[in-house]
Amino acid sequence: MLKLYFAPLTRSIRIKWLLEELEIAHEIVPVAFNRDGDKGFAQHTPAGNFPYIEDGDVALSESGAIVQYILEQYGNGRLEPPVGSLNRASYLHWLHFSEGTAAQPINTTVWLTVYRDDAEKHQAIINAVRGSANHILDKVEQVVSKQAFLAGDQLTGADIMMGFTLWSAKMLGILSDAHPYTVQFLKQLTSRPAFEKALAESRRLQ
Ligand SMILES: N[C@@H](CCC(=O)N[C@@H](CS)C(=O)NCC(=O)O)C(=O)O
């Protein structure tokens, strides 16, 4: 059975959420988050960070790669527009944008305000990345003000990837009513039973 190494409040939530959406049987391997943020890659998983999965002979980290792997292996066409369809390109864009671009200001903010205890020394950087986060949220706002999901009118893996990023942004106070459609979009995502199950797992292990 597919094993997901899971720590609360981490990107493991994305994978649990996806597995629940697809109703794939899996085993959670609970791992406590190591808060020694200065080291990096100091988590007690084989890759040194979260999320991490094992599925038969396959061992994989990087949440985007894991989402793609699970959809290829078990999706049967669910949660992604078919290759060659009109929505496929925007699906790929948002799938990768969530980690490749949108996570950057979130990561910096978490690093400076959650992992360290000297945020006041880094206020200029915190303000600068807030500006870059707003620019990113403007892009999301443009799309979700016009359509239900990032790659069209149906949930895809890209919404799960970006959903966790937006959820983190909301918790950090970066996503606010200045982006009302995005706030509403996030509400809609987080009220899905599959997300609620992933969040319940996070709370259970916290
Ligand atoms: N781009 C990676 C980021 C992985 C990542 O930074 N994971 C965090 C938790 S959400 C972590 O394990 N941080 C601790 C560390 O890297 O030491 C992904 O999407 O999986």
Side-chain angles (χ1 to χ4, degrees), residues 7-12 14 33-34 36-37 39-43 45 47-52 61-66 99-100 103 107 111 115 161 164:
L9 297 175
T10 67
R11 290 165 173 84
S12 327
R14 279 184 181 141
F33 192 82
N34 177 6
D36 189 354
K39 289 209 175 85
F41 292 99
Q43 305 304 318
T45 71
N49 63 7
F50 298 98
Y52 179 81
S61 63
E62 279 300 322
S63 57
I66 296 172
E99 269 303 300
N107 291 346
W111 179 263
Y115 288 175
M161 286 296 291
F164 177 82

